[in-house]
PDB file of all heavy atoms in Angstrom:
ATOM      1  N   MET A  40     -17.524  17.677  14.097  1.00 93.00           N
ATOM      2  CA  MET A  40     -17.862  18.808  13.365  1.00 93.00           C
ATOM      3  C   MET A  40     -17.074  20.004  14.056  1.00 93.00           C
ATOM      4  O   MET A  40     -17.356  20.263  15.250  1.00 93.00           O
ATOM      5  CB  MET A  40     -19.262  19.126  13.224  1.00 93.00           C
ATOM      6  CG  MET A  40     -20.022  18.048  12.416  1.00 93.00           C
ATOM      7  SD  MET A  40     -19.430  17.903  10.795  1.00 93.00           S
ATOM      8  CE  MET A  40     -20.093  19.290   9.980  1.00 93.00           C
ATOM      9  N   LEU A  54      -3.264   7.300   5.459  1.00 84.00           N
ATOM     10  CA  LEU A  54      -3.369   6.900   4.018  1.00 84.00           C
ATOM     11  C   LEU A  54      -3.148   5.454   3.891  1.00 84.00           C
ATOM     12  O   LEU A  54      -2.425   4.777   4.660  1.00 84.00           O
ATOM     13  CB  LEU A  54      -2.409   7.704   3.169  1.00 84.00           C
ATOM     14  CG  LEU A  54      -2.657   9.246   3.038  1.00 84.00           C
ATOM     15  CD1 LEU A  54      -1.545   9.950   2.289  1.00 84.00           C
ATOM     16  CD2 LEU A  54      -3.991   9.540   2.383  1.00 84.00           C
ATOM     17  N   ILE A  62       9.642  -5.958  -8.635  1.00 83.00           N
ATOM     18  CA  ILE A  62      11.021  -6.373  -8.845  1.00 83.00           C
ATOM     19  C   ILE A  62      10.939  -7.547  -9.738  1.00 83.00           C
ATOM     20  O   ILE A  62      10.490  -8.667  -9.348  1.00 83.00           O
ATOM     21  CB  ILE A  62      11.664  -6.698  -7.549  1.00 83.00           C
ATOM     22  CG1 ILE A  62      11.755  -5.493  -6.638  1.00 83.00           C
ATOM     23  CG2 ILE A  62      13.168  -7.164  -7.817  1.00 83.00           C
ATOM     24  CD1 ILE A  62      12.247  -5.742  -5.279  1.00 83.00           C
TER      25      ILE A  62
END
Side-chain angles (χ1 to χ4, degrees):
M40 298 301 287
L54 295 173
I62 301 173

